[in-house]
Amino acid sequence: MHKPREKLWLLFLIIPALLARLYFAAQLPHPGHGDPGFYYTIIESITSGRGLEINYIWHYLTAPNAVTHPGADYWMVFASMLMSIPYFVFRNLFSILVLSSLFGVGIALLAYRFTQAYTSSKFVAFLVLFYLLFEPALFDFSISVDAPVYYVFFVILALFLMIQGNENPKYFVWAGAVTGLAHLTRQDAILLAPTLLLTILLAPFPFKTRLRWMSLALGAYVLVLLPMLVYNVQNFGALLPPGPSRVAFATEHEQVYVYSTDLSLESYLALGWRAILKQKLLTGLANLKIAYRQLGLFATLFVGIAFAELVFSPARRTLWRKYLPVLVFFVLEFLFYTLVATVVSTHGSYGKAILTTLPFFILFAFDALSRHIPHKLVATLLTAALIFPPLLTTYPNAQGKIAFHTEIAQEMQDLAATLQNRVEPREDDDIILMTRAPWEVHITTGYRTIMVPYESLDVIYEVAQRYGANYILLPIPSRPALDDFRETSENDPRFQFIVQVQNSNLKIYRIVPDAP
C-alpha cells in the first residue's frame, strides 16, 4: 500500500474513533464511583498545590492518622499526574477525558505499528487497528478518569520494546524505563520486570552481553521508580504502598474495608487448605472465563493455532522470541490474580489486566486467520465473526456508562442540597460524612468523608469517633451490621435520624459523640 493512501486510511479510521470518544466524553457529568473518583481527587489535589493528599479515607489497611492524609497508599498515581496536565489548564472534566481518549486511540496506533514485527499484511494491520479503536472495554476506559487506558499503553509499549530488543539490545533499556512508567500507573506492572529479565536472558546474544543489558534495563526501571520509592519511604516507611499486601490475605472482597479485623498469613491459613485451594481453583476458572469472554470464540481458536505453530511448525518455531514476552506476561498476570490477588481479581482487576495482552492476541488471531484461510469469502466471514460481536456492544455500553454517571451526579447533587438546607449549619471542616461512597460524596459536597468499615456496629462507631465523623449515610450495601439499622437506631443513643435526601433513598443520621 502506498504511503499517502495508507495515511488516508489511517485518518479515515482514527478521526471517527476519536470523535466518538469525545462525543461521549462531553456528556459525562461526574468522574464516578471508586477508582475514577480517586484519580479525580488526586488530580484536584495536584493542581491545587497539595500534592498527593486526599481529604477522605476509603480503606483502613494503612490506618491513616487523620482523614486528610497522603493518598498514594494503595492505588498508583502516575495516571493522575498525566491527567492533571490538561486539568491544570482548562479546569474541567472534559479536558481530562480528551487526554484519555488520545491514549485510547494511541493504543490502537501503537498496535498498528508493531504488527510489522509479525506480518507484512497491511490488511491484518488495519484489522487490528479497527478492532482496538472500537473494542468495548478500551473504548469505555478512554472516556473514564481511570488508569487502565494509560496502563495498557505503557505495557504494550514495554512488551514491544522487549521484542525489538532481540534485534537491537538498546531497546531493552527503553523497555526497562517504560516498565517503570507502567509500574507507576498500576501495581501489577511489577510483573513486567521478571518478563523483561527473562526476555533478555533468552535473547540471542553472548552471556556477558545479556548480563550487561539486564543490569542496564533493571537500572532504568529502578531509576524511573526512584521518586515513588522515596515518597513511599518518607510517608509509609516502605518501598511499595503497604495497603495491597494485606489484601492478599482477604477471604472476601469487602474485607478490603476492614478496620480491626486481622488480615495476615495466619488468619488466612485458618481457613484450612481445602477452602484455600477451592478458592484459588474457582478464581482461576473465573479468570479463564474472563479471558475467554474478552477474546471470544474465534479469536481464542486462532490464538491457539498461532501458539501451536510455535511448537509444531519448524518454519514458525524460529519466531518464538517475538511471542515470548507476551506469553510470559499473560501467564504471570493470570497466576498473580489467581494465587495472590485472589479476592480483587473477579471484581474488575483481572478484567483490566487482560487488556494489556489483548492487542497482541488479536494480532496473533488475525495473522493466523489470514495465513490459514486462503479463501477470501470464508476469511471475510470469519473476520466479521471475530470483529463484530464484541464491537456491537461498544455503543450501548457507552450509553449505559453515561446514564450511570448521570444517576450518580444527580444523587450527589441532591445530597449536597439536603446537607446545605437541612443539616445544622456549621463550618465545612466540622462535617465529616461516613459513607460507602466516600469518593463521589467528597467530590460533589466538598466535605471530608470516611468509608464505613466492614465491621460490627460498635467498631463502626469507634472508627467514627477516632476520625471525627458526625454523620452517616444509609442504606449501605454489604454491611451486615447495618442491615436492620432503622430498628437498631431507635434504641441506640449513638445515632439520630436527621433527614432523608430528596429524590433518593439515602438517609442522613447524626453520629452522637461520646454517647453512652
Side-chain angles (χ1 to χ4, degrees), residues 234-269:
Q234 289 178 340
N235 289 278
F236 313 120
L239 289 175
L240 298 177
S245 61
R246 292 188 64 197
V247 174
F249 304 118
T251 58
E252 57 179 305
H253 184 262
E254 288 302 307
Q255 284 191 336
V256 173
Y257 309 113
V258 298
Y259 175 77
S260 63
T261 303
D262 177 45
L263 291 181
S264 63
L265 179 59
E266 184 180 0
S267 68
Y268 191 66
L269 292 177

Side-chain angles (χ1 to χ4, degrees), residues 23 139 152 165 184 198 213 215 260 317-318 350 353 358 488 513:
Y23 168 76
F139 191 97
V152 172
L184 291 173
L198 181 61
W213 288 111
S215 300
S260 63
R317 198 177 299 155
T318 58
Y350 186 65
L358 176 68
T488 302

Side-chain angles (χ1 to χ4, degrees), residues 240-488:
L240 298 177
S245 61
R246 292 188 64 197
V247 174
F249 304 118
T251 58
E252 57 179 305
H253 184 262
E254 288 302 307
Q255 284 191 336
V256 173
Y257 309 113
V258 298
Y259 175 77
S260 63
T261 303
D262 177 45
L263 291 181
S264 63
L265 179 59
E266 184 180 0
S267 68
Y268 191 66
L269 292 177
L271 282 176
W273 284 108
R274 179 175 295 182
I276 292 173
L277 291 175
K278 180 180 178 181
Q279 182 192 47
K280 304 298 184 187
L281 176 61
L282 291 177
T283 301
L285 293 173
N287 287 340
L288 286 176
K289 184 177 180 180
I290 290 170
Y292 174 77
R293 289 178 61 184
Q294 184 64 61
L295 286 172
L297 174 62
F298 288 104
T300 302
L301 173 63
F302 283 100
V303 168
I305 291 173
F307 281 110
E309 288 180 306
L310 297 178
V311 178
F312 299 108
S313 170
R316 300 289 298 175
R317 198 177 299 155
T318 58
L319 304 175
W320 64 272
R321 285 191 177 91
K322 293 184 177 182
Y323 292 79
L324 178 69
V326 180
L327 181 60
V328 169
F329 187 66
F330 172 79
V331 170
L332 288 176
E333 282 204 312
F334 176 80
L335 292 176
F336 175 77
Y337 279 106
T338 298
L339 303 177
V340 182
T342 310
V343 163
V344 299
S345 174
T346 52
H347 283 75
S349 293
Y350 186 65
K352 296 174 182 177
I354 194 68
L355 294 175
T356 56
T357 48
L358 176 68
F360 289 94
F361 286 159
I362 290 300
L363 165 59
F364 299 161
F366 282 134
D367 178 44
L369 188 152
S370 67
R371 288 185 289 104
H372 288 280
I373 309 295
H375 194 285
K376 288 188 177 181
L377 177 59
V378 176
T380 301
L381 291 174
L382 285 174
T383 300
L386 196 158
I387 285 181
F388 288 107
L391 299 193
L392 289 175
T393 66
T394 301
Y395 181 75
N397 284 356
Q399 284 185 311
K401 181 187 186 73
I402 299 301
F404 176 62
H405 284 240
T406 300
E407 183 180 335
I408 291 176
Q410 186 59 58
E411 185 173 54
M412 291 301 102
Q413 290 167 7
D414 290 338
L415 171 62
T418 302
L419 287 168
Q420 182 177 0
N421 299 327
R422 300 292 300 276
V423 174
E424 180 182 349
R426 56 183 68 225
E427 294 295 327
D428 286 357
D429 285 345
D430 288 337
I431 292 183
I432 299 178
L433 296 159
M434 183 174 264
T435 171
R436 180 58 178 80
W439 309 275
E440 54 263 47
V441 172
H442 169 71
I443 289 171
T444 305
T445 68
Y447 295 128
R448 290 179 293 168
T449 57
I450 66 174
M451 173 66 73
V452 177
Y454 185 65
E455 300 280 0
S456 67
L457 188 58
D458 289 339
V459 174
I460 291 173
Y461 183 74
E462 176 189 337
V463 172
Q465 290 287 90
R466 174 178 175 178
Y467 292 106
N470 41 27
Y471 293 97
I472 183 170
L473 299 179
L474 297 170
I476 296 175
S478 306
R479 293 295 183 273
L482 301 174
D483 285 349
D484 300 316
F485 190 77
R486 180 177 178 182
E487 290 77 12
T488 302

Side-chain angles (χ1 to χ4, degrees), residues 22 51 151 153 165-166 195-196 222 272 287 316 431 453 459 497:
L22 298 181
Y151 176 62
F153 181 88
N166 287 303
T195 303
L196 173 60
V222 174
N287 287 340
R316 300 289 298 175
I431 292 183
V459 174
F497 174 73

Side-chain angles (χ1 to χ4, degrees), residues 74-235:
Y74 189 94
W75 284 317
M76 307 299 279
V77 296
F78 185 57
S80 288
M81 292 179 178
L82 292 174
M83 290 184 279
S84 69
I85 297 171
Y87 188 80
F88 180 79
V89 177
F90 299 102
R91 296 288 173 172
N92 58 52
L93 177 60
F94 180 71
S95 65
I96 298 171
L97 301 178
V98 170
L99 182 64
S100 296
S101 296
L102 290 172
F103 265 81
V105 171
I107 290 169
L109 279 172
L110 186 57
Y112 176 82
R113 169 66 181 83
F114 63 59
T115 56
Q116 299 173 23
Y118 296 90
T119 176
S120 60
S121 170
K122 285 296 180 183
F123 179 65
V124 169
F126 274 100
L127 283 176
V128 171
L129 176 70
F130 176 76
Y131 185 92
L132 295 176
L133 283 173
F134 296 99
E135 196 281 326
L138 290 174
F139 191 97
D140 177 86
F141 287 121
S142 295
I143 53 171
S144 300
V145 188
D146 209 343
V149 71
Y150 301 91
Y151 176 62
V152 172
F153 181 88
F154 290 128
V155 170
I156 64 173
L157 178 57
L159 291 172
F160 178 58
L161 291 169
M162 292 180 205
I163 293 164
Q164 294 293 95
N166 287 303
E167 299 178 5
N168 184 344
K170 292 181 181 179
Y171 284 109
F172 287 136
V173 180
W174 288 108
V178 177
T179 293
L181 295 178
H183 192 168
L184 291 173
T185 309
R186 269 179 65 94
Q187 297 273 11
D188 47 352
I190 194 173
L191 301 173
L192 280 172
T195 303
L196 173 60
L197 294 178
L198 181 61
T199 301
I200 300 174
L201 184 64
L202 298 177
F205 304 111
F207 182 69
K208 289 185 177 180
T209 301
R210 283 177 278 163
L211 287 181
R212 183 171 69 253
W213 288 111
M214 286 174 70
S215 300
L216 292 171
L218 192 60
Y221 169 62
V222 174
L223 185 63
V224 172
L225 287 183
L226 191 59
M228 180 198 75
L229 300 178
V230 172
Y231 172 88
N232 288 339
V233 170
Q234 289 178 340
N235 289 278

